[in-house]
Amino acid sequence: MRERIGRLLGTRVENLDDLGSSHSWTLHRASLADGREVFVKAAPDQAGVFAAEAAGLRWLAEAGPGTPVPEVLGADDLLLVLPWLPSAPAGAEAAERLGRELAALHTGARPEAYGAPWEGFIADLPLDNTLDDRDWPRWYAERRLEPFLRRAARHLSADDVRLVERVMADIERLAGPPEPPSRIHGDLWSGNIMWSDGRALLIDPAAHAGHRETDLAMMALFGTPLLDRVLSAYDEAAPPADGWRARIPLHQLHPLLVHLALFGGSYRSPVVEAARGALAAGA
């Protein structure tokens, strides 16, 4: 691994510390001969996961200066190398900055179609990024909900499956006003927000052109620090469409199905609650 990192970065690795694992890859901190410290994700064979993550980070960065993502230093089939980011507590100014920068990401350099020009992954599960210039509701139902409902169905009752299918069937009515595609992180739970040196950076994306309410809903799913300040600053810069908070369960339904597929039956109740919430918001 040291030699491979060295070849990617053009310098020698002086020290390599193990930091544990996540999904099917291991995490490391490397000290380089040129004085830099870097963060490394490694795995025997990720079959495109690291390439997708690298492509997503670079594509998000293309939204414009100040996009809150780290630079990709190197990537291949086995490794992803990013700058080492010293962690810091979340602060009010950093939270407000994140809100403004996220709004700029979502509303600047908008793509022409939903999806992305690379094979997608969320965690280590495949994510259908087929580019599609139709409206968002059908794209979301067909590319996000339906595939993960199939993956997670073994943890659901027949009534539960029918409940999610009702959401998919009524998606145009439930989705709110039409929204053009936005560059979104796609997996923006609190663990993928790195607070460091007075700002927040977005890591581990499942990036694609999607609906900007998806990122806002994901931040609310598992308790992002200072979320009220983040959303207040976001709202000042680029207010979401009226009623977006009522649509949070609709946007949370996909990540909850992903968690149900990955981690099993403990996520059944949240999936059912999100489906009911999505339907209730459109009543």
Side-chain angles (χ1 to χ4, degrees), residues 134-154:
R134 293 179 298 167
D135 289 341
W136 179 80
R138 291 310 329 156
W139 178 87
Y140 182 64
E142 294 174 11
R143 308 290 186 191
R144 293 297 181 261
L145 296 183
E146 195 274 336
F148 285 90
L149 178 60
R150 288 201 315 267
R151 282 184 173 272
R154 67 188 184 278

Side-chain angles (χ1 to χ4, degrees), residues 30-162:
S31 301
L32 307 179
D34 61 13
R36 290 180 293 167
E37 291 195 328
V38 297
F39 174 74
V40 181
K41 296 168 88 169
D45 179 12
Q46 279 305 298
V49 171
F50 294 157
E53 184 172 342
L57 287 169
R58 289 167 173 151
W59 179 76
L60 292 173
E62 291 172 3
T67 302
V69 294
E71 179 186 3
V72 177
L73 301 178
D76 62 18
D77 289 342
L78 306 181
L79 297 174
L80 176 69
V81 186
L82 306 174
W84 179 260
L85 301 173
S87 62
E93 290 185 10
E96 292 166 4
R97 179 176 177 178
L98 173 60
R100 293 189 296 271
E101 290 180 339
L102 190 61
L105 169 63
H106 286 165
T107 57
R110 286 187 184 265
E112 295 182 358
Y114 296 100
W118 60 82
E119 231 180 290
F121 290 87
I122 187 163
D124 48 8
L125 297 179
L127 194 63
D128 185 353
N129 274 347
T130 303
L131 288 167
D132 193 329
D133 61 5
R134 293 179 298 167
D135 289 341
W136 179 80
R138 291 310 329 156
W139 178 87
Y140 182 64
E142 294 174 11
R143 308 290 186 191
R144 293 297 181 261
L145 296 183
E146 195 274 336
F148 285 90
L149 178 60
R150 288 201 315 267
R151 282 184 173 272
R154 67 188 184 278
H155 302 297
L156 297 170
S157 71
D159 286 344
D160 298 339
V161 171
R162 283 192 288 270

Side-chain angles (χ1 to χ4, degrees), residues 14 73 107 115 172 231 248 251:
E14 298 282 4
L73 301 178
T107 57
E172 284 89 353
L231 295 178
I248 285 175
H251 290 270

Side-chain angles (χ1 to χ4, degrees), residues 2-278:
R2 287 174 181 245
E3 292 178 359
R4 196 174 189 100
I5 296 168
R7 286 196 300 272
L8 275 177
L9 303 184
T11 188
R12 188 176 68 258
V13 175
E14 298 282 4
N15 192 54
L16 187 65
D17 294 326
D18 294 335
L19 303 176
S21 61
S22 177
H23 299 292
S24 54
W25 46 81
T26 57
L27 311 176
H28 310 268
R29 179 177 182 172
S31 301
L32 307 179
D34 61 13
R36 290 180 293 167
E37 291 195 328
V38 297
F39 174 74
V40 181
K41 296 168 88 169
D45 179 12
Q46 279 305 298
V49 171
F50 294 157
E53 184 172 342
L57 287 169
R58 289 167 173 151
W59 179 76
L60 292 173
E62 291 172 3
T67 302
V69 294
E71 179 186 3
V72 177
L73 301 178
D76 62 18
D77 289 342
L78 306 181
L79 297 174
L80 176 69
V81 186
L82 306 174
W84 179 260
L85 301 173
S87 62
E93 290 185 10
E96 292 166 4
R97 179 176 177 178
L98 173 60
R100 293 189 296 271
E101 290 180 339
L102 190 61
L105 169 63
H106 286 165
T107 57
R110 286 187 184 265
E112 295 182 358
Y114 296 100
W118 60 82
E119 231 180 290
F121 290 87
I122 187 163
D124 48 8
L125 297 179
L127 194 63
D128 185 353
N129 274 347
T130 303
L131 288 167
D132 193 329
D133 61 5
R134 293 179 298 167
D135 289 341
W136 179 80
R138 291 310 329 156
W139 178 87
Y140 182 64
E142 294 174 11
R143 308 290 186 191
R144 293 297 181 261
L145 296 183
E146 195 274 336
F148 285 90
L149 178 60
R150 288 201 315 267
R151 282 184 173 272
R154 67 188 184 278
H155 302 297
L156 297 170
S157 71
D159 286 344
D160 298 339
V161 171
R162 283 192 288 270
L163 185 67
V164 178
E165 289 174 340
R166 283 178 57 201
V167 174
M168 293 163 54
D170 207 13
I171 191 76
E172 284 89 353
R173 186 177 65 85
L174 302 177
E179 180 85 16
S182 290
R183 295 178 193 241
I184 69 170
H185 178 282
D187 191 16
L188 197 54
W189 72 289
S190 59
N192 287 342
I193 301 174
M194 181 71 186
W195 302 89
S196 178
D197 292 338
R199 72 181 304 199
L201 293 173
L202 312 183
I203 60 172
D204 296 348
H208 62 277
H211 196 306
R212 62 192 180 117
E213 290 177 14
T214 296
D215 276 351
L216 305 184
M218 190 67 185
M219 284 194 294
L221 186 55
F222 297 121
T224 297
L226 300 174
L227 182 58
D228 287 348
R229 285 186 177 268
V230 175
L231 295 178
S232 177
Y234 185 101
D235 187 66
E236 289 181 9
D242 289 347
W244 76 269
R245 290 180 185 273
R247 293 186 291 275
I248 285 175
L250 175 64
H251 290 270
Q252 290 181 342
L253 186 53
H254 169 245
L256 287 169
L257 285 168
V258 172
H259 278 70
L260 184 59
L262 283 170
F263 305 118
S266 62
Y267 282 93
R268 175 198 164 267
S269 290
V271 164
V272 171
E273 290 170 11
R276 288 175 177 160

